[in-house]
Amino acid sequence: GAVVSQHPSRVICKSGTSVKIECRSLDFQATTMFWYRQFPKQSLMLMATSNEGSKATYEQGVEKDKFLINHASLTLSTLTVTSAHPEDSSFYICSATTAGGSLAKNIQYFGAGTRLSVL
Amino acid sequence: KQEVTQIPAALSVPEGENLVLNCSFTDSAIYNLQWFRQDPGKGLTSLLLIQSSQREQTSGRLNASLDKSSGRSTLYIAASQPGDSATYLCAVWGAQKLVFGQGTRLTINP
């Protein structure tokens, strides 16, 4: 089956630093990748939709200058949390869909997530 | 705005029982509905995907149904096993994104 690799799995950083999270589709091309955020015991909330070669589409309330998304190739998308603060501590998960066809008909394959802790 | 609700929030049953998890959504204009499994501190594993034109999907001991008109889906797990313990999330696809419920935390007791 399709595999999505997310790295790192856990990161602890000091307040004010920036953190980059990578999401790779290992055995398929993903024209669209999604970034989600999950607070403890809550569900996933979509942060942004990332299309290869174009700017990401952010959900309402998500600061695009704080959460920088780059989708430079069909197999890699990155999320950079800039000037991280303790309130940014969360579980971040990416997903990817296979290229071609209707997005609605494609299964999303999820990465294992990244636990970000900002001290 | 689409809202997805899952009931119950938590469920604990003895091994071997059959069980049903419920999911409801407010806007019936969906393209598909998915059930996922999430283990603690891990990502999501897709279990079943039901297109809007379908009524149910089956995979092994799992069966998911969809009643789009009433905004409901159920996930039926037969002969539960301790390894089934996890959080189960349902999500509906509409307006170019997945909207998730808050999940049902399932514990199967040996």
Side-chain angles (χ1 to χ4, degrees), chain A residues 34 36 38 42-44 46 49 59 91 93 103-105 107-108 110-113 115, chain B residues 31-32 34 36 38 41-44 46 49 51 89 93 96-98 100-102 105:
Chain A
F34 302 86
Y36 296 85
Q38 186 179 32
Q42 294 189 25
S43 193
L44 280 74
L46 179 66
T49 301
E59 292 298 299
F91 192 56
I93 306 179
L103 271 181
K105 294 187 180 297
I107 292 176
Q108 286 191 31
F110 284 78
R115 173 78 57 195
Chain B
Y31 288 98
N32 64 44
Q34 282 187 256
F36 295 89
Q38 185 177 30
K42 304 292 185 181
L44 276 65
S46 180
L49 168 68
Q51 300 292 353
L89 297 163
W93 178 272
Q96 298 296 307
K97 65 181 181 181
L98 274 177
F100 285 83
Q102 292 196 313
R105 190 168 63 256

Side-chain angles (χ1 to χ4, degrees), chain B residues 39-94:
Chain B
D39 292 289
K42 304 292 185 181
L44 276 65
T45 300
S46 180
L47 298 174
L48 290 163
L49 168 68
I50 310 177
Q51 300 292 353
S52 61
S53 58
Q54 298 174 320
R55 296 284 291 183
E56 66 177 345
Q57 282 286 326
T58 298
S59 176
R61 294 183 292 108
L62 305 179
N63 176 276
S65 68
L66 174 63
D67 184 342
K68 204 172 78 160
S69 61
S70 68
R72 294 181 182 178
S73 175
T74 61
L75 178 66
Y76 175 83
I77 302 177
S80 59
Q81 303 170 357
D84 294 331
S85 297
T87 295
Y88 290 80
L89 297 163
C90 77
V92 297
W93 178 272

Side-chain angles (χ1 to χ4, degrees), chain A residues 3-53:
Chain A
V3 177
V4 174
S5 174
Q6 190 172 338
H7 179 80
S9 58
R10 185 180 182 94
V11 58
I12 300 172
C13 69
K14 293 182 179 180
S15 184
T17 61
S18 294
V19 174
K20 180 183 284 188
I21 302 170
E22 291 188 350
C23 181
R24 294 181 184 271
S25 57
L26 296 187
D27 49 3
F28 66 99
Q29 292 184 329
T31 52
T32 304
M33 291 185 173
F34 302 86
W35 287 95
Y36 296 85
R37 184 172 181 174
Q38 186 179 32
F39 289 107
K41 299 194 176 182
Q42 294 189 25
S43 193
L44 280 74
M45 297 296 294
L46 179 66
M47 298 175 66
T49 301
S50 168
N51 291 298
E52 184 265 338

